[in-house]
Amino acid sequence: MKITCEKNILQDAISIAQKAVTGKSTMQILQGILINAKNNSVIFTGSDIDLSIETKIKADVSEEGSIVVDAKLFGEIIRKLPNDIIEISTGNDNTIEIICQKSRFSLVHMNPSDFPELTNINENSMFSIPEKILKSMIKSTIFATAQEETRPILTGVLFEIKDKKFNLVALDGYRLAVRSEYIDSDNSINAVIPGKTLNEVAKILEDGDSNVNITFTPNHILFSIGETKIISRLLEGEFIRYNSIIPEEYNLKVTVKRTELLNCIERASLMGKEGNTSLIKLNIEEENMIITSNSQLGMVREEVSIILQGQPLQIAFNSKYLIDALKIMEEEEIVMELSSSVSPCVIKNKEQDNCTYLVLPVRLLNN
Amino acid sequence: MKITCEKNILQDAISIAQKAVTGKSTMQILQGILINAKNNSVIFTGSDIDLSIETKIKADVSEEGSIVVDAKLFGEIIRKLPNDIIEISTGNDNTIEIICQKSRFSLVHMNPSDFPELTNINENSMFSIPEKILKSMIKSTIFATAQEETRPILTGVLFEIKDKKFNLVALDGYRLAVRSEYIDSDNSINAVIPGKTLNEVAKILEDGDSNVNITFTPNHILFSIGETKIISRLLEGEFIRYNSIIPEEYNLKVTVKRTELLNCIERASLMGKEGNTSLIKLNIEEENMIITSNSQLGMVREEVSIILQGQPLQIAFNSKYLIDALKIMEEEEIVMELSSSVSPCVIKNKEQDNCTYLVLPVRLLNN
């Protein structure tokens, strides 16, 4: 193998493929990055079996071939080399030579035949969606996935297509996040993608309008983003029927400025902090919502103007779940739909009907 | 106590005083910040006994008094409040009230009489130096202090004034850093300041020309920076006679571009990494320095142009010590003075004679 290529192009490609190299595997080959040079292009592949990422660049290939090198070391070397043409070629004794200006590295490589083969997926794309929209949809839901592995299916995000609607859904037993977009596809899809995969997908997606192509097989999903392919195993099992959890009716509806409410809740949550969670009480009155919290350190009272339809209510929440949802929402005004102090609270944008957040209340002894 | 003050002014003052609150003390009072309101000004003080920082702001004091509140919680509350006037007053039951717009906090406070008294230092300043110069001097030496406590005196930086020269000196047994400035003072000083103190001092110092006043007592140092006072205990014991370590003569002298050499050494150090250290070999020839390193992962060869006065030499170093010095130096060209493969290397600016770095070589078996 012998290739020459500009440093920056190499660096970007390595940093993409490297996102699949977790360094957590005990198999040494999975700490490597596969470099495959052919037809004046070079493909870099990283994999941790569950998730594989490959990306292709144009390069001057004067000798075809493939090798595997330690992803972290190789990435650091390329990153530290000068901004100039880099030559990479196989040398003697299982090494590759990396030459740039007066720098010359000789790196032990691994056997490419030990590298796991990528699942072969027929790339008849099932549907497409602009990069920035998919990125926003992932960010709007992924925080609500379960962090513990007790119910593995909840560590993923449901990708659902039905009735020309594309829905992303995540829930962890305490709250739920749904984000929807209209999609011009008659397909019907119901698949759960690991949160870990979507974290990396979101990092690779750019804020542009170019399309991501998404293909499903019974066990895998393929994201094609420009010259990059991300293949991930799906989570096994049935996702919770989330629709039955979201109440369709409510007794009272609160309209409130999102940032104002968020700031009040963030301040109130300082007081009752125990680890990552903090209990706050909402006292929903005619024109105001009073937010209080107390602990042995002291107490806090915050007040925010609201428009209330329905009867006043007192309800308590873990502040983190409200904060997570309010932070990621985009409209300046939101509505909260409530029924009682022990029923879930549904949060939506005031105008655009493209997301639904649900948070379970905390039952208080004196309620 | 009752004061009103703008949020930003409060926030800046708290963040300065808080730098002395380490949170590592078992004494609860030391997790607090002392607020002392008097004569239309408020003094905030943080302390961990060894190091105390106090800073004064103007504020509207309608009732004088003093209290102690938890530094971290109080700082977070002030930081999250809106940009507006904040009122702080003592309430009932050992609490203070913090009010800003519609936010109202009630915070349990501690007893100010439990707070350690600041060492009283007669502020007849012994000498002054512009903030940005002291900041640069600290940053140029502090990295060379010992991180382990086996010889406590080496965890500090020597402040030495003699013959109208102000020297900061740090060493850890493997390398030494000296940074000097001319000073218009006939004093003679020899005191060792804890590295921990200087880290905080460097954060508070700004890049401006206003003066820091420095006062010494037998056991303490006082830095006066505008309305801020930093009082630190000195380290006990005799500092090493560093002058006898720095060789005055040398056999060969290398002149080299600093950034070029730094980049080569940083790349070379990628290869031999073991934890934080990495061994590199320098092969100093007539017009080039060849830098090599190898490990089981591979090998690297870097080359940098030099001007050599004297005979060629091979010598090996722990790359970290060279990198630390080269990173902090300011001139584009530097000189390295060497004598043999087992004698220290002295690094200086080519032009300005205001710093001296010394690094011990690593003795190789095949040397």
Side-chain angles (χ1 to χ4, degrees), chain A residues 73 76-77 80-81 102-108 267 270-271 296-302 305, chain B residues 73 76-77 80-81 102-108 267 270-271 296-302 305:
Chain A
L73 180 58
E76 276 184 9
I77 289 171
K80 293 249 182 194
L81 283 172
K102 291 188 202 163
S103 301
R104 176 185 285 266
F105 283 83
S106 175
L107 216 61
V108 175
R267 282 194 295 268
L270 292 176
M271 204 47 99
Q296 59 191 28
L297 299 170
M299 49 185 285
V300 51
R301 180 189 191 277
E302 294 280 344
S305 303
Chain B
L73 180 59
E76 276 183 9
I77 289 170
K80 293 248 182 197
L81 283 172
K102 292 188 200 162
S103 301
R104 179 186 283 266
F105 283 83
S106 176
L107 216 60
V108 175
R267 283 194 295 268
L270 292 176
M271 204 48 98
Q296 58 192 27
L297 300 170
M299 48 186 283
V300 51
R301 180 188 190 278
E302 294 280 346
S305 303

Side-chain angles (χ1 to χ4, degrees), chain B residues 54-66:
Chain B
E54 62 164 57
T55 191
K56 188 160 82 174
I57 57 169
K58 288 205 188 313
D60 183 24
V61 177
S62 51
E63 192 188 318
E64 299 187 340
S66 64

Side-chain angles (χ1 to χ4, degrees), chain A residues 144-159 169-173 190-195 234-241:
Chain A
T145 55
Q147 300 308 304
E148 286 149 30
E149 296 278 348
T150 43
R151 294 174 72 187
I153 194 83
L154 297 187
T155 62
V157 176
L158 173 69
F159 275 41
V169 186
L171 66 95
D172 68 358
N190 198 295
V192 184
I193 326 296
L234 300 176
L235 291 179
E236 284 172 24
E238 187 103 16
F239 201 74
I240 283 145
R241 292 189 182 197

Side-chain angles (χ1 to χ4, degrees), chain A residues 192-211:
Chain A
V192 184
I193 326 296
K196 197 180 66 173
T197 295
L198 294 177
N199 263 325
E200 302 307 330
V201 170
K203 282 182 208 157
I204 291 170
L205 288 168
E206 305 207 348
D207 290 314
D209 290 316
S210 47
N211 270 332

Side-chain angles (χ1 to χ4, degrees), chain B residues 101-354:
Chain B
Q101 292 179 359
K102 292 188 200 162
S103 301
R104 179 186 283 266
F105 283 83
S106 176
L107 216 60
V108 175
H109 68 71
M110 294 174 262
N111 191 341
S113 62
D114 294 342
F115 201 81
E117 284 217 25
L118 250 62
T119 311
N120 204 354
I121 291 183
N122 183 338
E123 279 185 56
N124 292 330
S125 164
M126 293 190 72
F127 70 101
S128 303
I129 183 166
E131 285 195 50
K132 67 176 177 192
I133 290 184
L134 182 59
K135 187 171 182 171
S136 152
M137 293 180 79
I138 293 172
K139 291 195 166 180
S140 301
T141 48
I142 197 167
F143 65 86
T145 54
Q147 299 308 304
E148 287 148 29
E149 297 277 349
T150 43
R151 295 174 70 186
I153 194 84
L154 297 188
T155 63
V157 176
L158 172 69
F159 276 40
E160 177 189 57
I161 299 184
K162 69 175 180 195
D163 309 334
K164 290 195 180 283
K165 263 180 90 176
F166 178 36
N167 304 314
L168 262 59
V169 186
L171 66 96
D172 68 358
Y174 303 101
R175 35 86 179 266
L176 166 109
V178 184
R179 177 79 163 71
S180 309
E181 287 287 333
Y182 168 83
I183 195 164
D184 188 16
S185 164
D186 294 319
N187 283 311
S188 174
I189 293 286
N190 197 297
V192 183
I193 326 297
K196 197 180 68 176
T197 296
L198 294 178
N199 263 324
E200 303 307 330
V201 170
K203 283 182 207 157
I204 292 169
L205 288 169
E206 305 207 349
D207 290 314
D209 291 316
S210 48
N211 270 334
V212 187
N213 295 317
I214 299 180
T215 312
F216 287 94
T217 73
N219 297 312
H220 289 88
I221 184 169
L222 162 66
F223 298 88
S224 297
I225 309 167
E227 295 293 343
T228 299
K229 288 196 179 71
I230 304 168
I231 297 173
S232 167
R233 204 180 285 213
L234 300 176
L235 291 180
E236 282 172 25
E238 188 103 14
F239 201 73
I240 282 144
R241 294 191 180 196
Y242 71 94
N243 265 319
S244 63
I245 299 173
I246 305 172
E248 286 176 5
E249 298 184 347
Y250 54 87
N251 293 331
L252 66 158
K253 181 168 154 184
V254 173
T255 307
V256 59
K257 293 221 168 83
R258 181 176 62 88
T259 315
E260 245 175 61
L261 179 62
L262 175 60
N263 289 341
C264 287
I265 294 177
E266 283 192 319
R267 283 194 295 268
S269 73
L270 292 176
M271 204 48 98
K273 238 174 197 164
E274 287 181 30
N276 207 10
T277 68
S278 166
L279 184 77
I280 56 164
K281 287 183 221 172
L282 312 188
N283 201 342
I284 300 165
E285 299 173 353
E286 203 53 63
E287 292 181 334
N288 291 304
M289 187 191 300
I290 314 296
I291 301 158
T292 57
S293 178
N294 59 65
S295 71
Q296 58 192 27
L297 300 170
M299 48 186 283
V300 51
R301 180 188 190 278
E302 294 280 346
E303 189 179 319
V304 59
S305 303
I306 60 167
I307 298 167
L308 172 63
Q309 291 164 266
Q311 291 303 304
L313 178 74
Q314 290 190 19
I315 188 167
F317 291 101
N318 178 334
S319 63
K320 177 179 162 40
Y321 299 144
L322 293 179
I323 290 171
D324 283 349
L326 292 172
K327 261 192 179 162
I328 205 72
M329 293 178 78
E330 284 166 359
E331 284 191 14
E332 204 24 66
E333 282 199 300
I334 56 150
V335 293
M336 300 169 75
E337 298 169 353
L338 302 117
S339 286
S340 78
S341 65
V342 293
S343 333
C345 166
V346 172
I347 309 173
K348 294 177 176 174
N349 286 322
K350 191 183 167 200
E351 302 295 336
Q352 213 186 341
D353 182 26
N354 66 354

